[in-house]
Each structure stands twice: as C-alpha cells, then as structure tokens.
Amino acid sequence: MPEQAETRRNRRDDAARPTSGNDWLSALRRMRPPLLRGASDQALAALLDEAKIVHLRRAREVLRQGEAADCMYLILKGRIEVTFIDVNGNRVMAHLAVPGEVMGEAEQFSGKTCAATCTALPDTTLMAFDASLLVRHLSAELLLRNLASIFHERLTRDNRQHSVAMFYTAEDRVRIHLLSMSTSEVPDVRISQTELAGFAGCSRQTVNKVLSQLRAEGIVDIGRGAIRILDRAGLEQASITGERIVLDDIPETCAAHGKPDETVTAAQRLRG
C-alpha cells in the first residue's frame, strides 16, 4: 500500500503544469541556458517537442551518486540541491543549481555513473532528455563549445569555493554565499539556515549568529525558508577589514573607477 501511494504521488508530480509549448520556448529564449546557447528557435522547438517536461511538487532525488544517469535535466524553474557523500559517509553540500543549469550531462555523454546526488527541491520544473536528443538537434561544434563553457564555469566556481574555504572567516563565507546566490534584481535567497551552514562549512549556530547580526544592521530580512538581501553593499563589506567582497577577479565597477586596491576578491586573503 505505501508503495502504491508513493507511485500515485509520483505520477501526480510527473505531470507538468498546463503550459503551452510556446510558453516554454519563450522561457528558454529568455533564460538562454548555457547548454543550448546559440541554438536556433527551430532547434529549441524540436528539443521541447521530444523532451519531457516534469513538474515536481515535492522534493525528489533525480540523480543518485554512483548510479547511471538515465537522462539529463535542465532546470526551467526551481532549484536542484547537489550533494556528495565521501567514503566516510560525510555529506557535503556541493552546489545549489538554479534555472538554466543542467545536471547529468557529463554522465550522459561519458557513460560514467553520477558523481553526486541531485535532489530537485519542491515546486521545481525540469526539462528531461538524453544525449542522443542533443546530438540530433545541435551541431557538434555548438555542442562542444557549450559543454566546454559549462565545464569552465564549474572549474571557476570550484576554484572560488576552495579559496573561500581556505582564506575567509566563517562570517565572510556566509556573506559570500548569500552574495553568490542572489542578485540586485533577485534579492531573495530560498535556503534554510542548515543548508547555508553546509555551503559555508560552519555550524548552524554560527549561521544563526551571523544572520541575526546582519538583520540587526538592516542588511538582511529573514523569513520562513528564505533570506532577503536588503542592503547588498552592506553585505559586501568584509567583517575583518571592511573592504568590499567581490566574486569576480576583476570587478567591472572597480576597473571603471580605477580603484582595484579598494576591493578584495575570492583569490585574495582577508587579513586581520
């Protein structure tokens, strides 16, 4: 009986919301996902016609570490939590993927098992398809360039995370992850304090203390399962030096003002 109930729930979750193909096509055009960048409208329409649109109302594991990937998933809406379990059973929060990102493409093309577990969070919509579909509708040159671009971005992100883990205080790691998960246009970060602690590599108590201080300073507002950035400039101030935290090696704003020495990047160490 429990298995039958779970099957019924999964069937309901697998039903995409009543949205037309043209709406999804418009969404892809606006989103410009790196995997499909440069694809013609005709190619995008053909991909949508053959792919499966899946809406998940509840959290669901879509890829599991150590198992084969039956397909890859492009996020149309919502988020996917990427976690890794080491040989000692320690669970590491590796990434929180957002709309436009794709999961499982490396495993699909390489034939290897999943390097991490990907869990779609509640109210997430995915476009599911396999490698053969991409090969049919994208040129080899375009596909190779887009995959290389994705891998380059991941290398850059991993290098930044290593630098952050090694050289930044716990408070600044919390600040940096909040900055990286938000923008001026989208100031809300839908994440729990436990998840944020996993990304920042500190305890939940430390995250709670940092967020309480930031809220008291009017920099963030804390709601149920979400953190809203009220003062991005205030969040960018490093806790020790007071210098501005930036996520890029050479921020455009600094280059424009000719004052690179007034910022601190993810490749530099914060000194007390």
Side-chain angles (χ1 to χ4, degrees):
M1 290 297 291
E3 291 183 359
Q4 292 177 352
E6 180 64 23
T7 299
R8 287 196 297 271
R9 283 197 297 270
N10 286 344
R11 284 174 180 168
R12 287 197 300 270
D13 282 347
D14 284 341
R17 286 181 172 176
T19 308
S20 71
N22 286 336
D23 288 339
W24 291 125
L25 181 58
S26 297
L28 285 178
R29 287 182 188 137
R30 291 193 305 270
M31 194 182 302
R32 297 184 68 248
L35 181 65
L36 305 179
R37 193 161 293 160
S40 65
D41 285 353
Q42 183 180 1
L44 291 177
L47 285 167
L48 281 168
D49 187 56
E50 296 183 50
K52 182 180 180 181
I53 305 298
V54 183
H55 178 68
L56 302 173
R57 297 180 178 87
R58 300 175 180 83
R60 174 148 6 132
E61 202 174 82
V62 293
L63 297 171
R64 180 174 294 179
Q65 182 178 332
E67 296 186 3
D70 293 332
C71 61
M72 65 186 84
Y73 297 92
L74 175 66
I75 306 175
L76 297 175
K77 176 189 174 186
R79 301 172 300 160
I80 285 183
E81 181 183 271
V82 182
T83 57
F84 171 77
I85 298 178
D86 67 16
V87 293
N88 296 314
N90 299 308
R91 182 174 178 271
V92 179
M93 290 273 293
H95 183 53
L96 194 63
V98 297
E101 292 190 69
V102 64
M103 304 286 111
E105 82 293 346
E107 289 80 1
Q108 269 282 302
F109 281 102
S110 69
K112 294 184 178 296
T113 58
C114 295
T117 293
C118 295
T119 303
L121 300 184
D123 197 23
T124 290
T125 302
L126 305 172
M127 179 178 170
F129 50 94
D130 60 19
S132 64
L133 186 60
L134 281 180
V135 171
R136 284 201 301 275
H137 296 293
L138 296 184
S139 69
E141 180 182 359
L142 180 62
L143 186 55
L144 181 60
R145 183 172 70 242
N146 288 349
L147 287 172
S149 177
I150 290 172
F151 298 152
H152 180 272
E153 174 59 29
R154 289 177 183 169
L155 284 172
T156 301
R157 185 182 71 217
D158 288 346
N159 289 339
R160 183 191 301 132
Q161 289 178 343
H162 285 310
S163 176
V164 168
M166 290 180 64
F167 300 126
Y168 286 74
T169 65
E171 178 177 341
D172 286 328
R173 292 199 299 272
V174 172
R175 289 172 178 260
I176 287 168
H177 285 292
L178 288 175
L179 287 168
S180 68
M181 294 176 184
S182 64
T183 65
S184 300
E185 294 75 22
V186 185
D188 291 338
V189 180
R190 301 191 62 81
I191 191 172
S192 69
Q193 293 189 22
T194 299
E195 290 172 328
L196 185 54
F199 282 115
C202 60
S203 68
R204 186 184 180 281
Q205 289 76 12
T206 297
V207 169
N208 183 268
K209 179 181 177 181
V210 172
L211 290 178
S212 296
Q213 180 182 347
L214 293 174
R215 180 168 58 182
E217 295 174 2
I219 294 174
V220 304
D221 187 26
I222 304 171
R224 186 175 179 81
I227 302 165
R228 169 165 288 189
I229 313 303
L230 303 176
D231 180 3
R232 193 169 183 84
L235 189 62
E236 290 174 343
Q237 297 304 309
S239 61
I240 295 178
T241 63
E243 295 174 296
R244 179 172 172 246
I245 297 172
V246 293
L247 299 181
D248 298 321
D249 289 338
I250 304 177
E252 293 181 4
T253 53
C254 283
H257 290 86
K259 299 178 180 179
D261 57 323
E262 292 185 5
T263 67
V264 68
T265 72
Q268 296 173 307
R269 180 174 183 175
L270 286 176
R271 304 181 185 278

